Amino acid sequence: MNHLSAREREIIALVATGASNKEIAYQLALSSKTVTNVLTRVFAKTQTRSRTELAVRWVRSAPMATG
């Protein structure tokens, strides 16, 4: 997911928490339409078809925490 912009990764991270487009828009001071447009581009770039698939890929790509 390194080929995505910082904003795209920020939005994916919020999708992975279960946030709706409206909630994401509010948190990032964007319009809902902008969030929808960004997610459309992200789905194409990542070849995903759903928010769930995108969230799973996001979680799997996160570095493993060691402790």
Side-chain angles (χ1 to χ4, degrees), residues 15-33:
V15 166
T17 68
S20 69
N21 286 8
K22 188 174 181 179
E23 292 167 333
I24 294 167
Y26 178 78
Q27 288 183 39
L28 300 180
L30 302 170
S31 72
S32 293
K33 181 67 173 164

Side-chain angles (χ1 to χ4, degrees), residues 14-55:
L14 290 169
V15 166
T17 68
S20 69
N21 286 8
K22 188 174 181 179
E23 292 167 333
I24 294 167
Y26 178 78
Q27 288 183 39
L28 300 180
L30 302 170
S31 72
S32 293
K33 181 67 173 164
T34 298
V35 174
T36 299
N37 290 340
V38 170
L39 284 174
T40 298
R41 284 194 314 270
V42 167
F43 289 144
K45 286 182 176 182
T46 60
Q47 298 179 342
T48 54
R49 295 185 201 153
S50 70
R51 295 169 76 90
T52 301
E53 184 180 1
L54 183 62

Side-chain angles (χ1 to χ4, degrees), residues 4-19:
L4 301 172
S5 71
R7 179 62 91 186
E8 289 168 337
R9 290 191 304 270
E10 188 175 23
I11 289 174
I12 295 169
L14 290 169
V15 166
T17 68

